């Protein structure tokens, strides 16, 4: 086969219309072979002779898209020094843009002989390995434009490609569970009905199905087991054609963008599927183990594990950082995604041992002209020392706010001492984010996520029920802050079911009325259940898939209505924190931008927050006190609102506060369903809240006053400076 020297950049396999350039980084390699595979599995090995700055490269003018390939890397094999080179192991290109096949588990893919992790195993792994695929980079984006929805207007929907679409009767069976299914009109219509502005997809980077799970008859459903950071998962493609997953993913993004919906990827750069010293040799472990993985200083046979998965990426190495940054830029520039949610992001801040928010990774993101301009969401924790870092990420980052989740759950189940913190979470968590110059949108608020109970299970189970996972119910979080209302699991008791439905509405209303960025777990608006399993990572079946044949339509309508309320009223999506100071108003007294109310309609006092038994609170939100301007520079104004919360077990009477707030109030939302059609409430009147319910009041629309045309004419003349006998200043004083 004809070979040319090629180029050391870009890394990976790059088709330019005439041929393909191959480039692989390996600092410790002594020799590299590029392996091409024919349709019948025949392997052709090509010696890669050119190497510049530790990048081995070759150009093959004959190679076209669809070509399968891998590498064999020769070098020292001494695990005690971290070197694990073995040319008998076919290696997946860390920069592969598409992957063909799956790993066939067995002795060949391991670098040691079973039972002796310090031994060397030389069985050839080619027949058991997935391979990279040369892809066609050319795609008709048809004028695709990214929505670029501001954070303050965003509503995120966390979803699983397969779980969301696998059972939908409106999607053709042959494309269910795929990228094409996400882009199907029935899914688009559902997202639009909910007011969703961004879909956050659980991992779609090519991942590996764990052998230990397969042995139990399970699989890695969630996908937090990445092996190729630039390749879309091949099992989510609707056809088996090599490289089709790239085209199909791009088509999905193009369709979602046309509907005004952004695409955010849940990405796993903290570890890979190769695990620890007992794990397989699939890619980076055999390409350059020392460069790509963080190893124990005192014995480099072992891997530092901040993630609970066996290994951690070595973000202190410039080539590892380059891989991560190249991957991020690729997904933005070539795949047109709109942002990323970083799994266990604290690990990326560990250059050495402690978490450092000023680590090189964050510096690179800060100065990168591409990556810095998309949505960056951190899961701000890992399992290492000091790994819980909520509120400590750099200014341009947003964070999954785990404290929001815990506080809101505690408040609605009536836990003591939750009132003050609940108020903080409801208003954007200034205590966590304001000190670093960030805004309320730094907080991605959620009550449920993929990891944990679904919303319906949160109000139906006190305990986890993970027996199906095969770990004797020992896996998953045991402290769920849930409440089953007296019965564990499903029941026919109408009283219990009524309270459970009401509590789900409480959570959704709280989420969508809180300052910050709301995130809803897929299926929560439908009443999805996992029958008490709060760790469905291994359940690729009906337990975790959305059941579209059994949906809670009233809950869908309620969620959509609350999302419209949020969309229509900037009071609930402020870009700046409240300050509690009076706002200068054109009419009436200056009112604060926010005021907390006791049930008797008077202002909350310091001792009320610390009482320890408070279950009820009201909040006045000043619609004319937003202190922000729209994109045209016009002041943003809205109506006044009062939101009343009763997390107690008894009916609570709230008194409508003094007249200066508003002359009358309309009930827009009542999660107990009793007040929605009531007449306007006047100051001093009583609003009766049921146990565990929420009510939203909006200032009543007053009829337009009759216009005195003589006065109007005078004002018009004044505006033109033609008022006879008086200057404009004199007239204004008069």
């Amino acid at each position: 086969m004809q070979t040319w020297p090629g180029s050391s950049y870009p890394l990976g396999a790059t088709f330019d219309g005439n041929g393909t350039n191959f480039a692989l980084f390996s600092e410790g390699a002594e020799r590299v072979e590029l392996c091409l595979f024919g349709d019948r599995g025949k392997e052709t090995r090509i010696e890669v002779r050119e190497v510049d700055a530790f990048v081995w490269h070759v150009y093959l003018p004959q190679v076209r898209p669809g070509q399968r390939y891998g590498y064999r890397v020769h070098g020292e094999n001494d695990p005690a020094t971290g070197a694990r080179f073995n040319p008998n192991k076919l290696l997946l290109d860390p920069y592969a843009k598409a992957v063909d096949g799956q790993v066939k588990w067995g002795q060949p893919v391991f670098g040691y002989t079973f039972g002796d992790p310090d031994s060397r195993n030389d069985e050839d792994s080619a027949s058991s390995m997935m391979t990279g695929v040369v892809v066609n980079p050319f795609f008709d984006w048809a004028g695709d434009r990214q929505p670029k929805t501001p954070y303050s207007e965003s509503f995120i929907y966390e979803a699983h490609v397969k779980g969301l679409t696998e059972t939908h009767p409106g999607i053709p069976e042959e494309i269910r569970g795929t990228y094409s299914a996400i882009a199907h009109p029935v899914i688009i219509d559902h997202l639009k009905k909910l007011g969703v502005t961004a879909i956050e997809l659980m991992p779609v980077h090519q991942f590996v199905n764990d052998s230990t799970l397969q042995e139990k008859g399970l699989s890695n459903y969630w996908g937090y087991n990445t092996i190729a950071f630039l390749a879309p998962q091949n099992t989510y493609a609707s056809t088996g054609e090599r490289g089709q997953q790239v085209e199909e993913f791009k088509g999905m993004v193009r369709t979602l963008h046309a509907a005004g919906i952004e695409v955010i990827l849940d990405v796993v750069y903290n570890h890979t599927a190769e695990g620890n010293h007992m794990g397989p040799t699939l890619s980076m472990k055999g390409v350059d183990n020392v460069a790509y993985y963080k190893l124990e200083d005192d014995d480099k046979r072992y891997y530092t594990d901040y993630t609970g998965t066996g290994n951690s990426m070595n973000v202190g190495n410039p080539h590892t950082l380059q891989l991560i940054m190249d991957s991020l830029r690729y997904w933005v520039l070539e795949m047109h995604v709109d942002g990323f949610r970083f799994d266990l992001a604290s690990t990326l801040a560990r250059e050495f041992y402690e978490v450092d928010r000023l680590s090189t990774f964050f510096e690179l993101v800060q100065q990168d002209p591409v990556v810095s301009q998309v949505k960056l969401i951190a899961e701000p924790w890992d399992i290492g020392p000091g790994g819980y870092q909520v509120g400590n990420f750099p200014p341009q980052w947003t964070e999954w706010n785990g404290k929001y989740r815990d506080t809101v759950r505690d408040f609605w189940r009536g836990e003591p001492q939750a009132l003050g913190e609940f108020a903080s979470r409801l208003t954007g968590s200034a205590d966590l984010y304001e000190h670093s110059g960030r805004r309320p949108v730094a907080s991605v608020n959620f009550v449920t996520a993929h990891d944990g109970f679904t919303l319906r299970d949160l109000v139906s189970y006190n305990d986890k029920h993970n027996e199906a996972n095969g770990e004797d119910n020992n896996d998953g979080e045991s402290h769920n802050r849930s409440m089953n209302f007296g019965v564990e699991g499903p029941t026919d008791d109408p009283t219990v079911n009524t309270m459970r439905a009401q509590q789900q509405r409480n959570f959704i209303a709280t989420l969508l009325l809180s300052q910050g960025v709301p995130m809803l777990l897929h299926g929560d608006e439908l009443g999805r259940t996992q029958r008490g399993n709060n760790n469905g990572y291994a359940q690729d079946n009906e337990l975790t898939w959305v059941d579209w044949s059994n949906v809670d339509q009233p809950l869908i309508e309620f969620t959509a209505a609350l999302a419209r309320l949020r969309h229509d009223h900037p009071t609930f999506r402020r870009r700046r924190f409240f300050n509690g100071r009076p706002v200068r108003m054109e009419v009436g007294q200056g009112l604060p931008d926010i005021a907390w109310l006791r049930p008797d309609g008077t202002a909350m006092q310091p001792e009320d927050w610390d009482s320890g038994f408070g279950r009820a609170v009201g909040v006045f939100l000043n619609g004319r006190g937003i202190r922000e301007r729209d994109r045209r520079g016009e002041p943003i104004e809205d109506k006044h609102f009062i939101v009343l919360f009763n997390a107690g077990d008894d009916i609570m009477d709230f008194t409508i506060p003094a007249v200066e707030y508003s002359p009358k109030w309309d009930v827009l939302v009542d999660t107990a369903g009793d007040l929605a059609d009531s007449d306007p409430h006047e100051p001093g009147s009583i609003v009766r809240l049921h146990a565990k319910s929420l009510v939203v009041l909006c200032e009543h629309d007053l009829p337009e006053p009759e216009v005195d045309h003589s006065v109007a004419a005078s004002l018009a003349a004044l505006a033109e400076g033609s008022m006879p006998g008086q200057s404009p200043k004199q007239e204004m004083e008069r």
Side-chain angles (χ1 to χ4, degrees):
M1 180 171 288
Q2 186 180 13
T3 64
W4 297 351
S7 172
S8 61
Y9 186 86
L11 289 162
T14 306
F15 176 67
D16 61 10
N18 296 310
T20 303
N21 189 81
F22 294 87
L24 176 77
F25 159 77
S26 180
E27 183 173 353
E30 298 171 358
R31 180 183 165 212
V32 171
E33 293 176 294
L34 170 65
C35 306
L36 304 181
F37 292 88
D39 291 337
R40 297 184 180 180
K42 180 182 178 181
E43 179 182 351
T44 301
R45 301 187 187 184
I46 298 169
E47 188 84 15
V48 182
R49 302 185 185 279
E50 300 292 331
V51 56
D52 294 297
F54 308 122
V55 176
W56 303 72
H57 53 91
V58 65
Y59 183 92
L60 303 181
Q62 306 98 319
V63 169
R64 296 289 185 269
Q67 174 66 58
R68 297 190 299 130
Y69 74 99
Y71 288 100
R72 296 180 185 274
V73 181
H74 301 251
E76 184 181 10
N77 189 290
D78 182 9
T81 65
R84 293 181 179 270
F85 296 106
N86 188 336
N88 297 294
K89 307 304 173 186
L90 183 73
L91 304 174
L92 183 67
D93 181 2
Y95 276 78
K97 297 181 179 69
V99 173
D100 183 63
Q102 302 294 321
V103 174
K104 297 177 183 176
W105 291 108
Q107 180 66 81
V109 297
F110 290 84
Y112 64 92
T113 302
F114 290 159
D116 184 4
D118 293 325
S119 63
R120 171 173 171 149
N121 172 261
D122 285 334
E123 289 188 53
D124 195 288
S125 67
S127 61
S128 301
M129 269 296 294
M130 50 178 58
T131 57
V133 178
V134 177
V135 303
N136 185 349
F138 308 109
F139 181 77
D140 182 8
W141 282 102
D144 175 66
R145 296 184 64 183
Q146 294 173 298
K148 294 188 179 299
T149 306
Y151 271 121
S152 60
E153 299 173 17
S154 294
F155 177 17
I156 299 174
Y157 190 79
E158 188 194 23
H160 187 282
V161 171
K162 186 174 184 180
L164 179 61
T165 64
E166 184 66 19
T167 73
H168 200 299
I171 299 175
E173 287 189 30
E174 61 270 19
I175 68 168
R176 292 179 189 173
T178 70
Y179 304 120
S180 293
I182 293 288
H184 192 277
V186 295
I187 297 297
I188 299 288
D189 290 347
H190 181 70
L191 297 178
K192 295 289 286 183
K193 179 183 178 70
L194 294 177
V196 167
T197 67
I199 185 168
E200 183 179 301
L201 296 176
M202 291 175 64
V204 296
H205 288 178
Q206 186 71 42
F207 58 85
V208 172
N209 201 352
D210 311 53
S211 60
T212 53
L213 292 177
Q214 286 186 343
E215 291 167 0
K216 298 178 182 179
L218 303 171
S219 64
N220 194 314
Y221 168 64
W222 284 353
Y224 292 94
N225 204 30
T226 307
I227 195 61
F229 294 144
L230 283 79
Q233 175 68 11
N234 55 18
T235 59
Y236 295 156
S238 59
T239 73
E241 182 181 347
R242 290 199 293 270
Q244 173 63 28
Q245 59 266 42
V246 177
E247 298 279 321
E248 194 168 327
F249 183 93
K250 291 179 177 179
M252 174 196 71
V253 173
R254 182 179 59 192
T255 301
L256 288 165
H257 281 178
I261 299 172
E262 294 182 310
V263 179
I264 298 172
L265 302 187
D266 191 341
V267 291
V268 186
Y269 292 114
N270 53 75
H271 74 280
T272 75
E274 292 187 289
N276 59 18
H277 65 290
M278 302 286 285
T281 300
L282 307 176
S283 180
M284 295 176 231
K285 184 179 287 188
V287 172
D288 199 319
N289 188 56
V290 174
Y292 282 119
Y293 295 115
K294 192 168 183 59
L295 307 177
E296 291 293 284
D297 291 334
D298 54 350
D299 191 341
K300 294 188 182 300
R301 287 179 300 173
Y302 302 111
Y303 295 76
T304 304
D305 183 11
Y306 296 127
T307 64
T309 59
N311 63 48
S312 302
M313 293 294 287
N314 183 13
V315 292
N317 183 283
H319 296 283
T320 304
L321 283 172
Q322 181 186 357
L323 170 60
I324 295 173
M325 295 304 297
D326 285 349
S327 169
L328 292 170
R329 277 190 294 270
Y330 175 80
W331 285 97
V332 175
L333 295 175
E334 298 296 327
M335 309 296 264
H336 287 207
V337 305
D338 305 279
F340 305 95
R341 178 265 187 189
F342 292 80
D343 178 66
L344 301 180
S346 293
T347 299
L348 297 174
R350 293 182 186 272
E351 281 191 62
F352 300 103
Y353 179 76
E354 296 181 349
V355 175
D356 179 8
R357 74 170 190 166
L358 299 178
S359 69
T360 304
F361 171 71
F362 294 107
E363 292 175 351
L364 288 174
V365 170
Q366 173 75 34
Q367 59 80 40
D368 191 277
V370 174
V371 180
S372 65
Q373 298 306 303
V374 300
K375 288 183 169 64
L376 303 170
I377 305 171
E379 182 187 34
W381 50 78
D382 66 15
I383 68 168
Y388 195 77
Q389 292 290 318
V390 172
N392 291 328
F393 276 72
Q396 82 271 37
W397 287 69
T398 61
E399 303 176 16
W400 271 26
N401 191 344
K403 292 187 177 181
Y404 178 95
R405 171 200 60 205
D406 296 345
T407 300
V408 170
R409 289 186 181 190
D410 278 347
F411 174 77
W412 280 114
R413 68 192 183 115
E415 285 295 292
Q417 300 292 348
L419 197 57
E421 188 167 359
F422 175 73
S424 179
R425 303 296 155 247
L426 188 73
T427 54
S429 296
D431 58 323
L432 299 177
Y433 303 111
E434 192 171 24
H435 68 91
S436 59
R438 288 193 278 176
R439 304 288 179 84
V441 294
S443 178
V444 175
N445 300 326
F446 65 104
V447 176
T448 58
H450 67 272
D451 188 2
F453 279 148
T454 67
L455 185 62
R456 183 173 175 181
D457 289 354
L458 186 66
V459 302
S460 303
Y461 295 89
N462 282 352
D463 302 302
K464 63 183 181 181
H465 296 271
N466 298 350
E467 290 80 9
N469 294 354
E471 298 183 39
D472 297 323
N473 204 32
N474 291 318
D475 62 307
E477 176 61 58
S478 297
H479 184 44
N480 292 285
R481 295 178 163 89
S482 58
M483 183 177 186
N484 67 10
F485 291 92
V487 179
E488 187 75 354
T491 179
D492 294 328
D493 188 320
T495 301
V496 172
N497 286 329
T498 295
M499 288 305 300
R500 288 177 175 177
Q502 185 171 308
Q503 190 79 320
Q504 289 179 80
R505 293 193 292 270
N506 289 333
F507 282 124
I508 288 174
T510 304
L511 176 68
L512 289 169
L513 298 177
S514 296
Q515 305 299 325
V517 181
M519 185 187 78
L520 185 71
L521 172 63
H522 78 193
D524 275 356
E525 78 284 5
L526 310 171
R528 182 174 75 95
T529 178
Q530 291 181 171
R531 299 196 291 276
N533 190 314
N534 72 352
N535 191 30
Y537 78 104
Q539 300 294 331
D540 186 5
N541 50 51
E542 290 84 357
L543 181 70
T544 53
W545 301 339
V546 173
D547 182 4
W548 289 95
S549 67
N550 182 25
V551 302
D552 185 341
Q553 192 63 39
L555 188 57
I556 295 175
E557 300 300 330
F558 180 84
T559 305
L562 265 294
R564 286 194 300 272
L565 178 64
R566 179 186 184 85
H567 175 271
D568 294 343
H569 293 284
T571 296
F572 298 109
R573 43 183 179 80
R574 295 168 55 100
R575 298 198 299 268
R576 291 177 173 82
F577 289 109
F578 295 100
N579 60 30
R581 294 193 294 270
V583 178
R584 196 173 170 185
M585 301 176 63
E586 295 179 3
V587 179
Q589 300 180 30
L591 298 174
D593 57 5
I594 186 171
W596 295 96
L597 306 171
R598 297 191 299 198
D600 63 4
T602 61
M604 287 281 287
Q605 300 301 311
E607 59 270 19
D608 297 324
W609 296 110
D610 300 326
S611 63
F613 53 81
R615 301 289 183 275
V617 69
V619 58
F620 164 75
L621 303 173
N622 187 338
R624 264 82 79 192
I626 298 177
R627 298 187 178 96
E628 298 171 12
R629 295 182 180 273
D630 62 21
R631 297 177 185 179
R632 298 187 300 272
E634 298 295 326
I636 296 175
E637 289 193 354
D638 196 6
K639 295 181 177 181
H640 296 325
F641 288 88
I642 294 177
V643 186
L644 306 176
F645 301 87
N646 178 20
D649 297 323
D650 301 309
I651 291 175
M652 177 66 68
D653 288 341
F654 272 88
T655 301
I656 299 295
V659 69
E660 62 262 23
Y661 289 101
S662 176
K664 289 186 179 181
W665 297 89
D666 295 316
V667 175
L668 296 188
V669 179
D670 175 19
T671 58
D674 285 354
L675 299 173
D677 297 325
S678 63
D679 294 330
H681 291 264
E682 297 185 357
S685 64
I686 300 298
V687 176
R688 175 157 288 190
L689 265 69
H690 283 266
K692 298 200 181 302
S693 70
L694 175 156
V695 166
V696 178
L697 302 168
C698 176
E699 66 173 310
H700 182 64
D701 284 327
L702 296 176
E704 290 292 331
E706 293 186 9
V707 178
D708 184 334
H709 293 285
S710 64
V711 174
S714 297
L715 291 175
L718 174 63
E720 296 174 1
S722 60
M723 180 68 68
Q726 288 184 316
S727 69
K729 180 179 179 181
Q730 289 173 322
E731 179 60 19
M732 288 294 289
E733 289 173 348
R734 184 184 67 81

